[in-house]
Amino acid sequence: SEVTPAEALHSVSAAVAERPAGEERPAGVTSLSGGFNASFIWMRCTAPGCSPQRLGGDGDTGLCVGAEDRAEMAKQERSVCVLLPDKERLDISVGVKATGQEVFSRVCELLKIREPHFFGLSVVKDNEHIFMDLEQKLTKYFPKEWKKDASRGSARPGPPLVACLRVQYYVENGRLISDQKARWLYYCDLRQRVRGSRCRHREEAYFLLAAYALQADLGDHSDREHKGQYFQPQDYFPPWIIAKRGCGYILQHAPAMHREQRGRPAREALLLFIREACRLEDVPVHFYRLHKVRRTPRPHDTRDAIIAHFHQACVCVFWYL
């Protein structure tokens, strides 16, 4: 017959109490802290449906967290959907009072990113990406209903908070990013930036970048495997180049440049892509719109001028509507 979580925890606690000193921990206990003579012991039972629960002393039964308790805990959690530069996504559950740093740390932990200082979390507001202040609570960047649902104990889950893991600080030398996972996500982020770039006087640079990206993604060009349309032009070129030259032109000339990269390791091609992409004027920058606010004019007011703000390796360019 199926053993209930309460029965499983009771049997494990009995085994712990009876085991001789130095004997191995009984099956089913994955963590244990405190002493046998302390006022309580924390245990984790691996039986299905169990959650961490304190075993009290002085006759406390020490039962596992039941379905009602788990449901109550779930009411205080909300889902955060994190979109990654490589088009993947992570769904993370956090408390309604969580900060951006908690989400960011959890993302880095799941992705095994050892060098997170190049990245940040952004949210889309008024059709533009705004980087979160990771020390602030998530409620600052999400509608008030997100917190209200939790405070009222609504059984219906609120909408997920959609955040994006993006590069916040740029470096031209990809070798400064030693972590392989971080470097790959950095490269994927630059790929997106290049597709949105509009340096029309540097058209040849986009074909070279496409050749580096194809070499990094697919390796050496093979006449047997890479026939016809073996890549989608919109994945490697900005829309304005596709509109100007056409897919036929791109599919005719890009494979030849890919073929010229034969013998170049994928790692080197990726580093070359990072270097050349960061040399495009509108790639290693963040653009924001400034909105005019009514206020008393001041002498030498330069609100209508373009403001360039340099912050470490990141350049933020602002312009007025």
Side-chain angles (χ1 to χ4, degrees):
S1 61
E2 184 178 357
V3 179
T4 65
E7 293 173 343
L9 182 56
H10 179 75
S11 62
V12 170
S13 59
V16 172
E18 296 175 358
R19 71 185 181 100
E23 184 177 336
E24 294 184 359
R25 184 181 301 171
V29 178
T30 59
S31 64
L32 176 65
S33 62
F36 292 111
N37 296 324
S39 60
F40 62 86
I41 301 174
W42 280 96
M43 299 182 60
R44 186 185 302 274
C45 175
T46 59
C50 285
S51 300
Q53 178 71 4
R54 190 179 71 175
L55 296 184
D58 301 329
D60 192 353
T61 57
L63 299 181
C64 291
V65 176
E68 294 182 0
D69 296 323
R70 293 196 301 271
E72 184 63 27
M73 293 171 60
K75 289 179 182 179
Q76 301 301 321
E77 292 184 346
R78 286 295 179 266
S79 177
V80 178
C81 175
V82 182
L83 304 180
L84 306 179
D86 58 358
K87 299 181 180 181
E88 297 294 331
R89 57 177 287 181
L90 290 177
D91 293 315
I92 302 174
S93 295
V94 296
V96 293
K97 297 182 180 180
T99 63
Q101 184 62 53
E102 294 178 51
V103 177
F104 185 71
S105 299
R106 182 59 176 158
V107 169
C108 294
E109 178 186 353
L110 292 173
L111 298 178
K112 295 180 173 60
I113 298 177
R114 299 193 305 272
E115 295 178 326
H117 42 272
F118 297 100
F119 302 92
L121 288 177
S122 70
V123 292
V124 178
K125 184 178 181 180
D126 297 330
N127 202 29
E128 65 178 356
H129 283 272
I130 304 296
F131 281 100
M132 291 182 180
D133 180 351
L134 297 182
E135 296 181 356
Q136 297 293 328
K137 293 182 179 180
L138 296 178
T139 50
K140 178 180 179 180
Y141 302 97
F142 206 57
K144 295 180 179 179
E145 290 76 11
W146 190 61
K147 185 176 181 179
K148 287 182 179 180
D149 288 342
S151 63
R152 295 175 181 176
S154 174
R156 183 183 63 180
L161 168 63
V162 178
C164 302
L165 181 70
R166 306 182 76 214
V167 174
Q168 190 168 6
Y169 304 107
Y170 292 93
V171 290
E172 182 178 315
N173 186 358
R175 289 184 173 85
L176 296 176
I177 310 174
S178 59
D179 179 21
Q180 185 176 358
K181 183 64 176 182
R183 183 186 294 176
W184 170 254
L185 292 174
Y186 187 92
Y187 160 75
C188 292
D189 186 274
L190 284 181
R191 287 277 305 276
Q192 295 182 18
R193 302 285 300 174
V194 167
R195 290 196 297 268
S197 177
R198 299 180 181 180
C199 297
R200 299 179 182 271
H201 61 291
R202 300 279 313 276
E203 184 175 338
E204 74 286 347
Y206 296 96
F207 281 87
L208 181 60
L209 285 168
Y212 289 150
L214 288 169
Q215 184 69 15
D217 295 346
L218 306 177
D220 289 341
H221 183 278
S222 172
D223 295 333
R224 182 180 61 181
E225 298 179 4
H226 302 147
K227 294 181 179 180
Q229 187 172 341
Y230 66 94
F231 68 93
Q232 297 295 329
Q234 57 268 27
D235 292 338
Y236 294 87
F237 290 89
W240 64 268
I241 289 186
I242 298 177
K244 178 181 179 180
R245 296 297 181 181
C247 290
Y249 181 91
I250 293 175
L251 293 173
Q252 178 183 356
H253 292 85
M257 299 188 68
H258 179 199
R259 196 178 295 111
E260 294 176 357
Q261 303 299 318
R262 185 186 302 274
R264 190 184 300 278
R267 177 179 179 275
E268 182 181 347
L270 186 146
L271 291 173
L272 288 172
F273 181 94
I274 291 176
R275 186 189 68 183
E276 296 302 321
C278 288
R279 291 179 177 178
L280 293 174
E281 292 86 346
D282 60 353
V283 168
V285 296
H286 300 296
F287 293 96
Y288 299 95
R289 291 191 298 269
L290 291 181
H291 300 270
K292 291 184 178 180
V293 179
R294 292 183 180 179
R295 65 177 184 178
T296 304
R298 297 179 181 179
H300 309 293
D301 195 348
T302 58
R303 289 181 302 158
D304 295 328
I306 297 178
I307 303 173
H309 173 63
F310 297 85
H311 180 64
Q312 295 184 10
C314 171
V315 180
C316 301
V317 178
F318 303 83
W319 74 94
Y320 279 103
L321 295 176

